[in-house]
């Protein structure tokens, strides 16, 4: 088992994206609860689609598993058809929200600055932002990975939305089956922690959890989880099935 780094409790999160219906969500939660130990050493969060939140909330209340929204609007309320506010997420018992997932950045043209505003709004409503950063394949190939990560990180932290959790998700590894090698992921995590140290101070940066996301599966969780600065995972495809999600939890080496 990996020794806990500093005070960082490992965290594994499921990002269901635009998948599953209420019945599937309900079955998933029941099966997952039956597969988990009564007090897992890993913090667990499910990010279902908005329509599934009431079902997930009902199934997970009283369990060790939390839930959150996949996005929020940066404003508290208003004329924003189709959007969901942090207040509405908190109202359904969410304690978390994803901010700046690469699919939001790409499909909805979310800017770095907007992601920072969303993270601030999350904190205002008592939600913990899970801030996603990551480079595209083109950015990596042209040697700009760290430059992109620095830019995204700086904007996401512009309003100091503490506490928060960071997820490093190289865009080229999301949903592609092409996982970053543990060494490559560790290098990016180390870089992000170093930058966090410069912005927030080393003591604080040592406490920030940095998750890896991008084609995490039961088969690669152990080697990724063994890296010093990888404090958990944000899992997409492999989180849709309770057996594979719990396989990631048990293989992760996080205890
Ligand atoms: P993936 O997705 O595990 O299917 O690659 C990860 C994510 O987008 O958060």
């Amino acid at each position: 088992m990996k020794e806990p780094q500093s005070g960082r409790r490992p965290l594994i999160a499921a990002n269901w994206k635009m998948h599953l219906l209420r019945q599937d969500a309900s079955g998933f939660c029941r099966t997952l609860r039956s597969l988990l130990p009564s007090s897992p050493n890993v913090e667990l969060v499910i990010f279902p689609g908005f329509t599934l939140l009431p079902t997930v909330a009902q199934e997970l209340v009283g369990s060790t598993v939390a839930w959150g929204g996949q996005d929020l609007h940066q404003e508290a309320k208003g004329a924003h058809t189709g959007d969901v506010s942090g207040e509405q997420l908190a109202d359904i018992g969410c304690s978390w929200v994803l901010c700046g997932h690469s699919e939001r950045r790409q499909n909805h043209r979310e800017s770095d600055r907007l992601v920072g505003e969303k993270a601030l709004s999350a904190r205002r409503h008592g939600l913990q932002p899970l801030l996603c950063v990551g480079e595209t394949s083109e950015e990596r190939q042209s040697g700009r990975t760290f430059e992109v990560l620095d830019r995204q990180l700086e904007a996401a932290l512009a309003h100091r939305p503490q506490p928060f959790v960071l997820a490093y998700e190289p865009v080229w590894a999301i949903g592609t089956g092409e996982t970053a090698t543990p060494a490559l992921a560790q290098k990016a995590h180390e870089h992000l922690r170093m930058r966090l140290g410069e912005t927030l101070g080393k003591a604080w940066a040592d406490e920030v959890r940095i998750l890896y996301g991008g084609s995490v599966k039961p088969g690669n969780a152990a080697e990724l989880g063994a890296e010093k600065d990888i404090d958990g995972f944000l899992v997409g495809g492999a989180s849709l099935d309770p057996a594979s999600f719990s396989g990631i939890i048990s293989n992760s080496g996080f205890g």
Side-chain angles (χ1 to χ4, degrees), residues 102 106 133-137 139 168-176 213:
S102 63
Q106 284 184 339
V133 296
E135 81 287 0
T136 63
S137 152
E139 287 161 344
Y168 169 60
E169 296 209 305
V171 178
W172 46 270
I174 295 179
T176 58

Side-chain angles (χ1 to χ4, degrees), residues 15 17 101 103 169 173-176 213-216 234-238:
N15 175 10
K17 310 192 179 188
H101 189 280
E103 286 151 17
E169 296 209 305
I174 295 179
T176 58
S215 300
V216 176
L234 178 55
V235 188

Side-chain angles (χ1 to χ4, degrees), residues 109-254:
R109 296 199 168 74
E110 289 195 5
S111 66
D112 295 330
R113 188 182 154 167
L114 179 62
V115 173
E117 288 170 5
K118 289 187 174 201
L120 173 67
S121 184
R123 286 307 311 147
R124 283 195 175 134
H125 295 101
L127 302 168
Q128 183 141 203
L130 205 176
L131 294 163
C132 304
V133 296
E135 81 287 0
T136 63
S137 152
E138 193 196 354
E139 287 161 344
R140 174 159 285 275
Q141 276 160 20
S142 58
R144 288 185 291 133
T145 297
F146 290 164
E147 179 195 319
V148 170
L149 296 182
D150 290 350
R151 194 196 68 220
Q152 293 178 340
L153 188 64
E154 193 183 327
L157 300 183
H159 306 285
R160 300 283 194 275
Q162 284 143 297
F164 63 89
V165 169
L166 210 58
Y168 169 60
E169 296 209 305
V171 178
W172 46 270
I174 295 179
T176 58
E178 191 191 339
T179 321
T181 61
L184 186 148
Q186 165 59 26
K187 235 175 153 178
H189 284 227
E190 201 177 338
H191 177 84
L192 287 166
R193 199 175 304 285
M194 186 266 294
R195 280 280 178 263
L196 286 172
E198 288 174 0
T199 317
L200 306 167
K202 186 174 179 313
W204 212 90
D206 282 345
E207 300 294 315
V208 175
R209 292 176 288 181
I210 309 179
L211 315 185
Y212 169 78
S215 300
V216 176
K217 302 180 269 285
N220 59 24
E223 53 173 16
L224 285 162
E227 293 294 338
K228 183 169 142 298
D229 287 290
I230 298 184
D231 305 309
F233 303 122
L234 178 55
V235 188
S239 77
L240 296 172
D241 169 52
S244 81
F245 188 58
S246 68
I248 290 172
I249 298 166
S250 52
N251 292 355
S252 66
F254 293 137

Side-chain angles (χ1 to χ4, degrees), residues 25-49:
S26 176
F28 178 104
C29 293
R30 285 175 196 194
T31 310
L32 182 66
R33 285 185 76 160
S34 73
L35 293 171
L36 290 178
S38 54
S39 47
N41 290 333
V42 185
E43 193 170 349
L44 298 168
V45 188
I46 311 279
F47 290 98

